Amino acid sequence: MAVNVETLEKLERKITLELPVAEIQQEVEARLKRMAKQVKLDGFRPGKVPLSVVAKQYGYSVQYEVMNDKVGQAFQAAAAEAELRIAGAPRINEKDGAAEGCVAFEAIFEVYPEVKIGDLSAAEIEKVSAEVNDAAIDRTLDILRKQRRTFTTRDETGWAEASDRITIDFEGKIDGEPFDGGKAEAFQFMVGEGQMLEQFDAAVRGMKTGESKTFPLDFPADYHGKEVAGKTADFLVTVKKIEFQTLPEVNEEFVKSLGIEGGTVDALRADIKKNLEREVKFRLQARNKAAVMDALVANAELDLPKASVEAEVERLVEGARADLKQRGIKDADKAPIPAELFKDQAERRVRLGLVVAELVKTNNLQAKPEQLDAHINELAASYERPEEVVQWYKGDNRRLAEVEAIVIESNVADFVLGQAKVTDKSVSFEELMGQA
């Protein structure tokens, strides 16, 4: 029988479903009979409870279950017959006017939209590129040296300077009153490495062991501690110890301590370059993918299913609560997080997901097995035991799905870049890595 689908608004549709009462009752009786063979009730032996007693005890709940099952099956059958792509769960309510011997329901739901992707050849996309230079390798070498540096205590005549490790006691007051987090003993930090506010860092330079000093410090207006942001505090600092650092020389002994095959400085630099090039590749892919996705969203026309947006908002809210919980926030799972905060982000995600899915379907951009293997192998290459990492990915369907999504995005990015007006832009290694 043809299914009558009524359009209510944009993506919203309505279907009327009718179910024979006799069919429902027949299923109810069948389930009650099966229950009577298993149910245990006081005063009756197992399997010997009269059907009338089982019906009185469980009849309502079984009726409800059967009705839900039958309506759900009828809805799925009707949607399949009408070739509808359902977005979200339908709202189903009983209605009047059913034919004799039947019970009627109306199902109101949304369908996925028609996605119209504009002329991609007119889209303008900036594609960035970057190279790993000697300066980037040198910077990484400096990080490796600092990870293995040693410290020696300065004598009492020596003063604190950049690159020293200093141990201090301090107490800060605002308008003569202490504040939370404003006091510490035997506090240690590296001078000149950005661990402290610049004013604080500058104030301790030149101080000697055993020396005390009071100085004003202006907290920035955007300081993370809101109770002191934008205010001026007076700090009393006493230096307990000053240590100067010694960095290891970059020689064969240093290289061997890092476990680099070949044991030479050239081998170390080559290994660093290989790892940096891998990181650069991933960052370039991410940045260029983002540019492609922006272009796709701008070139597509579609209505958004409210159910999909609401589901995405809910996922984002739950993700925010999980993040709060991970940070140790008490009762994070009950935190009142306004859904409106995530509406724009959820709408963009849903829009992008639908556009990408349409592009993948119409242009056969699905991830191929060899692409999945290549991506997993590339991810695993930077680990000490890559074969274990490969098995870690392939042994879990969820992780495989994440890899598949990344590969599909890459396929989409390559396809769009092949169609669009692309402007190439070279950026420095530092800018790409966020170090500029």
Side-chain angles (χ1 to χ4, degrees):
M1 183 177 74
V3 177
N4 181 31
V5 181
E6 183 180 345
T7 299
L8 301 181
E9 180 186 6
K10 289 186 178 179
L11 302 177
E12 198 169 57
R13 305 288 186 269
K14 181 170 76 173
I15 291 177
T16 298
L17 307 168
E18 287 194 348
L19 299 174
V21 174
E23 181 182 321
I24 295 171
Q25 194 55 42
Q26 182 180 358
E27 179 62 21
V28 170
E29 291 176 1
R31 293 192 187 187
L32 287 172
K33 287 179 180 177
R34 289 198 295 271
M35 287 183 69
K37 296 178 181 179
Q38 301 171 351
V39 73
K40 296 180 181 179
L41 289 176
D42 291 342
F44 299 95
R45 286 183 296 162
K48 298 297 183 180
V49 182
L51 185 59
S52 59
V53 175
V54 175
K56 184 177 180 180
Q57 183 87 357
Y58 300 103
Y60 179 80
S61 61
V62 171
Q63 177 91 13
Y64 181 79
E65 290 174 3
V66 170
M67 193 73 77
N68 273 350
D69 290 348
K70 291 294 184 182
V71 171
Q73 292 166 9
F75 175 73
Q76 293 299 329
E81 186 174 336
E83 298 182 343
L84 298 174
R85 295 173 60 231
I86 309 299
R91 305 191 307 275
I92 299 177
N93 299 298
E94 192 170 351
K95 62 172 291 187
D96 297 329
E100 186 176 351
C102 291
V103 60
F105 297 85
E106 64 177 19
I108 298 174
F109 55 95
E110 287 182 295
V111 294
Y112 283 109
E114 177 186 1
V115 179
K116 296 179 181 178
I117 299 175
D119 182 9
L120 292 176
S121 64
E124 297 182 358
I125 301 174
E126 183 180 80
K127 182 182 179 183
V128 297
S129 60
E131 293 184 356
V132 176
N133 53 25
D134 286 340
I137 297 173
D138 290 339
R139 180 178 296 189
T140 304
L141 265 175
D142 287 340
I143 293 172
L144 292 172
R145 293 174 71 201
K146 284 181 179 180
Q147 289 173 349
R148 288 158 178 80
R149 60 190 168 186
T150 57
F151 292 91
T152 305
T153 303
R154 288 192 185 278
D155 60 35
E156 294 183 357
T157 63
W159 56 83
E161 56 187 57
S163 300
D164 282 350
R165 185 166 68 182
I166 186 170
T167 303
I168 61 173
D169 294 341
F170 69 81
E171 182 176 16
K173 294 182 179 180
I174 297 176
D175 297 328
E177 295 295 327
F179 56 90
D180 289 342
K183 182 178 181 180
E185 294 181 355
F187 182 82
Q188 199 174 75
F189 69 96
M190 297 297 301
V191 180
E193 294 194 2
Q195 296 176 6
M196 304 295 284
L197 290 174
E198 188 174 345
Q199 264 186 293
F200 196 107
D201 195 283
V204 302
R205 296 193 191 202
M207 292 183 69
K208 297 180 180 180
T209 301
E211 185 179 353
S212 295
K213 179 179 182 180
T214 299
F215 60 90
L217 184 142
D218 301 318
F219 285 102
D222 59 352
Y223 190 68
H224 60 83
K226 294 182 180 180
E227 67 281 356
V228 299
K231 298 180 181 179
T232 298
D234 292 313
F235 274 90
L236 171 62
V237 171
T238 300
V239 177
K240 310 297 287 186
K241 183 167 65 172
I242 303 170
E243 300 166 281
F244 65 88
Q245 67 172 334
T246 301
L247 295 173
E249 292 292 328
V250 180
N251 51 30
E252 289 191 5
E253 183 180 350
F254 177 73
V255 175
K256 288 177 181 177
S257 73
L258 296 172
I260 302 299
E261 290 186 17
T264 66
V265 174
D266 286 343
L268 172 59
R269 294 183 67 88
D271 189 72
I272 290 173
K273 184 176 183 181
K274 180 180 177 182
N275 287 325
L276 290 179
E277 285 176 340
R278 185 184 298 111
E279 179 64 21
V280 163
K281 178 181 178 180
F282 286 143
R283 294 210 179 200
L284 287 174
Q285 285 177 339
R287 188 158 163 175
N288 290 328
K289 275 184 190 179
V292 166
M293 299 309 167
D294 287 342
L296 277 177
V297 168
N299 278 270
E301 293 181 19
L302 68 156
D303 292 319
L304 295 181
K306 295 176 184 177
S308 298
V309 173
E310 289 170 359
E312 187 61 33
V313 166
E314 189 174 332
R315 276 193 289 271
L316 290 169
V317 169
E318 288 306 310
R321 288 200 176 103
D323 183 59
L324 291 175
K325 185 175 181 180
Q326 193 171 18
R327 296 184 187 185
I329 303 299
K330 186 179 180 181
D331 296 327
D333 54 335
K334 300 175 184 176
I337 301 177
E340 298 78 31
L341 293 175
F342 299 98
K343 185 178 179 183
D344 290 346
Q345 185 182 357
E347 287 182 349
R348 176 180 168 79
R349 283 192 178 189
V350 172
R351 185 184 304 275
L352 190 55
L354 292 170
V355 172
V356 168
E358 179 65 21
L359 205 61
V360 169
K361 182 180 70 174
T362 55
N363 296 280
N364 296 317
L365 301 176
Q366 295 84 358
K368 297 178 176 62
E370 58 271 22
Q371 289 180 311
L372 296 177
D373 288 341
H375 187 75
I376 291 173
N377 289 334
E378 191 167 23
L379 290 172
S382 61
Y383 291 87
E384 188 175 344
R385 296 184 177 86
E387 66 282 352
E388 293 181 6
V389 178
V390 170
Q391 291 305 314
W392 183 79
Y393 274 105
K394 292 187 175 183
D396 185 282
N397 288 333
R398 181 181 58 81
R399 289 191 284 266
L400 269 179
E402 291 172 356
V403 172
E404 183 179 15
I406 292 171
V407 171
I408 289 174
E409 285 180 358
S410 295
N411 289 347
V412 168
D414 291 342
F415 177 82
V416 174
L417 289 170
Q419 303 285 319
K421 295 178 181 177
V422 177
T423 301
D424 292 315
K425 179 184 177 182
S426 178
V427 299
S428 69
F429 174 85
E430 290 75 19
E431 180 185 344
L432 179 68
M433 306 299 283
Q435 298 170 342

